[in-house]
Amino acid sequence: MAEPVLRVENIRRLFDVSKPWLERVVAREKPQFLRAVDEVSFEIRPGETFALVGESGSGKSTVAKMVVGLLPPSSGSVHFSASMGGGKVRPGAIQMIFQDPYASLNPRWRIRDIIAEPMAALNHPADPAARAARVADLLTLVGLSPLDGEKYPHQFSGGQRQRVAIARALSSEPQFLVCDEPTSALDVSVQAQILNLMRDLQERLGLTYLFISHNLAVVRHMAHRIGVMYLGRLVEVQETEALFAAPRHPYTRLLIDAVPDLEQIGRDRIPVQGEVPSPINPPSGCTFHPRCPLATEICTREVPAFDGSVACHVAQDTMMAGQAMP
Amino acid sequence: MMAADETAMDPVLSVRNLSLEFVTRRGVLRALNEISFDIARGEVLGVVGESGAGKSLTGTAIIGLIDKPGRLSGGEIWLKGQRIDNIGHDGLRKIRGRRIGMIFQDPLTSLNPLFRVGDQIAETILTHMPVSKAEARARALALLTEVGIPAPENRIDAYPHEFSGGMRQRVVIALALAAEPDLIIADEPTTALDVSVQAQIITLLKRLCRTRGTSVMLITHDMGVIAETADRVAVMYAGRIVEIGPVADVIRHPKHPYASGLMGAIPALGAKVQRLTQISGAMPRLNAIPPGCAFRPRCMQAIGKCAEAVPPLVRVGATSARCWLHEEQDERSAAHG
């Protein structure tokens, strides 16, 4: 098997959410921290799409920011393979696509300048004419016309803007793309266009994706492997088909079962109760135990260790793994 | 428009040829165009479409909350045999909350942050029903219990910010049900919530409306939610209903090319497909709706007639679709028969 492009080891990120210093000293309170990400480890292989799914507040976007270096981890490490420059990654080898194409494009710049910006910043290619030619190629690649380069972002619809954002990300010839909810702001018919485009580009350019989404159906369509996050921890990592066929962590089951699906016309179900607790004061032991239908006494005391595919006291029992969804 | 609905004999809500315009400096924009549908007692009608299709406007037009420069330019709205589109501000006040309840997307903005939730529910009850204050409070408590707020006797005096998102939406549902309305208009009631909470809220809404016989107009962009909740579904595109029918038929055998494209574009949990169906382009803006069928520029099956005239809503099997292709087929089969 090829060497992983990215290896994330035990990254953790705390945010200081204490009251202002003076207030805290007067009230004799300790500083308070929010554990956005806690001991997350995973690998991404070349040419693969690895997805992180979870509900709001699960820490998936914080992981994405730490991977691209927008946020330093509080502890742990992020390694890229030698093919990307190892310790010091080649500039432009990692790019990001953001959720909201209405916010991620500068409204006062022409599309051609937006797309050429990474090339200008890296001075590669140095020749402006070569850059202009590449902008035209990129626009064609993402399904727009080279003539669109003269326009401004407001002249485009949401889906077209996301195509521009993708063209910009590709302009520095990256190997690795971090996509943070790239289609969540788009309507379904447009979402399908962007998802298809991203898969085509992956095949043509051999890209590796870290794909962040809250939408399980989208993730299933896009990803080769999936990591499920809950309250800052990775609770399960599996190949996509295996995850949907035999989810091992009770939270993964809950999530799959909760998604309304076109196939389930008029189904009645018994949803799992409760909501995601506050990450400032998470439950003891396994943070999922208050909502877990299978929780036992040990779950309230000890944090389950991540064994490479699942972090759960109960799922360790082999009977669980084979048991199909009810 | 006969084919719009023939199933409901005595509908709770009946909308006929409703049109809505916005008068702007650059001309009149038609946001809704000849919308017709019925909702029977206890029925859940899903309204689905992309942003800008007019689904939320349809809901707000029914309860008369259209602001200037918007105006109804035609059509009628009937609630249990009473016409409500021309009864004026005071008439509508007696209907909103009492006979039509509303649930909006963001539960935080639909509750007043300065009042206790119990008082907000009791206020609605007192406004619309001849009961004492103590009786109203008792009913508020019963409602909170019914929507599944844990320890409601303690929570009735809490403020909205003390509730989580899912619990707040439960309070909003209690509020919408407070005066025992005939119809609830739910506009994206679960869009702001996480999936596990969304499943709870959908189950709750379904159970309550089933036991009380309340009709629901469920507006959402999520076809999955519609599939699980609705009895019938109306698919909207560029201000018109392009297909309406029983939910299973529209999802499994959509007749309008837009509806079938939409179904193929949704990634499914069940079976993995190599490629999602793609509808090229995007929905036109209101000021650039093409003549004839508004979907024609994106349609793979467009014929000459599509550019000439807007197709009528015609019955095709179990559903009704606004598409010339089916008219052609009807004629052909008629000629053969």
Side-chain angles (χ1 to χ4, degrees), chain A residues 5-9 11-13 37 40-44 50 52 59-73 77-80 84 86-87 89 93-96 176-179 208-212 229:
Chain A
V5 174
L6 167 71
R7 191 182 298 124
V8 171
E9 277 171 359
I11 51 168
R12 174 180 288 177
R13 175 70 206 194
V37 172
V40 166
S41 304
F42 59 86
E43 291 179 348
I44 304 182
F50 180 76
L52 286 176
K60 47 195 195 303
S61 288
T62 311
V63 170
K65 283 182 187 157
M66 288 193 282
V67 166
V68 294
L70 285 175
L71 208 60
S77 60
V78 175
H79 289 291
F80 283 94
M84 295 196 38
V89 176
I94 308 167
Q95 285 288 2
M96 196 157 176
F176 187 82
L177 279 183
V178 175
C179 318
T208 308
Y209 290 142
L210 171 59
F211 192 93
I212 314 274
M229 291 192 70

Side-chain angles (χ1 to χ4, degrees), chain A residues 56 187 193 220 267 272, chain B residues 51 194 200 206 228 269 279:
Chain A
S56 38
D187 279 314
Q193 295 169 11
R220 164 153 210 191
R267 88 165 148 170
V272 170
Chain B
S51 20
D194 279 319
Q200 296 166 11
K206 252 166 102 172
E228 278 189 22
L269 270 190
I279 311 176

Side-chain angles (χ1 to χ4, degrees), chain A residues 17 124 146 175 188 203 245 252 258 269 300:
Chain A
V17 290
H124 175 80
Q175 288 155 276
V188 277
E203 261 174 46
T252 314
R269 55 174 163 192
T300 62

Side-chain angles (χ1 to χ4, degrees), chain A residues 34 103-104 154 188 190 193 207 227 235 244 246 258 269 282 284 288 296:
Chain A
L34 182 153
S104 66
H154 74 263
V188 277
V190 179
Q193 295 169 11
L207 298 168
V235 296
F244 282 92
R269 55 174 163 192
S284 63
F288 185 59
T296 58

Side-chain angles (χ1 to χ4, degrees), chain A:
Chain A
M1 190 171 293
E3 189 201 0
V5 174
L6 167 71
R7 191 182 298 124
V8 171
E9 277 171 359
N10 286 321
I11 51 168
R12 174 180 288 177
R13 175 70 206 194
L14 306 177
F15 289 107
D16 192 341
V17 290
S18 323
K19 288 178 184 159
W21 176 80
L22 188 62
E23 226 175 281
R24 200 173 74 219
V25 171
V26 170
R28 291 170 189 271
E29 280 176 16
K30 284 186 179 160
Q32 237 185 350
F33 291 98
L34 182 153
R35 264 186 198 200
V37 172
D38 203 1
E39 293 191 15
V40 166
S41 304
F42 59 86
E43 291 179 348
I44 304 182
R45 299 165 203 143
E48 145 177 278
T49 302
F50 180 76
L52 286 176
V53 272
E55 298 180 87
S56 38
S58 62
K60 47 195 195 303
S61 288
T62 311
V63 170
K65 283 182 187 157
M66 288 193 282
V67 166
V68 294
L70 285 175
L71 208 60
S74 302
S75 67
S77 60
V78 175
H79 289 291
F80 283 94
S81 70
S83 66
M84 295 196 38
K88 196 170 183 323
V89 176
R90 172 178 72 82
I94 308 167
Q95 285 288 2
M96 196 157 176
I97 300 168
F98 297 93
Q99 174 171 355
D100 186 356
Y102 290 85
S104 66
L105 303 179
N106 189 332
R108 302 186 61 166
W109 283 24
R110 288 183 194 276
I111 298 300
R112 62 172 148 85
D113 297 327
I114 291 174
I115 295 176
E117 170 76 349
M119 294 187 274
L122 299 169
N123 203 23
H124 175 80
D127 174 22
R131 277 185 218 157
R134 186 156 162 73
V135 167
D137 288 348
L138 285 165
L139 280 168
T140 318
L141 185 68
V142 297
L144 296 171
S145 152
L147 299 174
D148 288 333
E150 296 304 311
K151 295 184 184 167
Y152 287 94
H154 74 263
Q155 293 171 286
F156 292 94
S157 67
Q160 290 171 321
R161 284 180 206 218
Q162 201 61 302
R163 288 175 192 268
V164 172
I166 292 172
R168 174 179 61 184
L170 294 175
S171 71
S172 65
E173 296 176 12
Q175 288 155 276
F176 187 82
L177 279 183
V178 175
C179 318
D180 190 358
E181 305 264 15
T183 60
S184 303
L186 306 176
D187 279 314
V188 277
S189 73
V190 179
Q191 165 175 287
Q193 295 169 11
I194 298 297
L195 294 179
N196 285 340
L197 173 68
M198 287 180 63
R199 276 175 67 150
D200 292 346
L201 291 173
Q202 179 168 45
E203 261 174 46
R204 282 178 66 174
L205 307 173
L207 298 168
T208 308
Y209 290 142
L210 171 59
F211 192 93
I212 314 274
S213 179
H214 69 280
N215 187 330
L216 268 177
V218 167
V219 158
R220 164 153 210 191
H221 182 70
M222 290 297 289
H224 301 106
R225 281 191 311 136
I226 298 175
V228 182
M229 291 192 70
Y230 186 73
L231 269 183
R233 283 176 178 275
L234 208 49
V235 296
E236 181 163 1
V237 178
Q238 290 249 37
E239 304 278 333
T240 303
E241 290 312 311
L243 187 91
F244 282 92
R248 295 185 65 198
H249 198 283
Y251 177 65
T252 314
R253 289 186 179 199
L254 176 157
L255 215 53
I256 293 174
D257 205 32
V259 178
D261 197 34
L262 286 187
E263 301 296 312
Q264 311 266 355
I265 293 170
R267 88 165 148 170
D268 281 308
R269 55 174 163 192
I270 305 142
V272 170
Q273 296 305 309
E275 293 175 40
V276 183
S278 156
I280 296 179
N281 194 7
S284 63
C286 171
T287 47
F288 185 59
H289 84 258
R291 302 174 75 188
C292 183
L294 307 168
T296 58
E297 191 265 334
I298 188 172
C299 303
T300 62
R301 281 187 288 114
E302 281 178 37
V303 179
F306 188 75
D307 71 355
S309 101
V310 67
C312 179
H313 291 297
V314 190
Q316 310 296 346
D317 305 343
T318 43
M319 54 158 277
M320 288 299 309
Q323 197 176 313
M325 298 273 296

Side-chain angles (χ1 to χ4, degrees), chain B residues 241-253:
Chain B
I241 291 179
V242 295
E243 180 155 4
I244 182 167
V247 87
D249 296 291
V250 174
I251 288 176
R252 299 217 175 103
H253 312 288

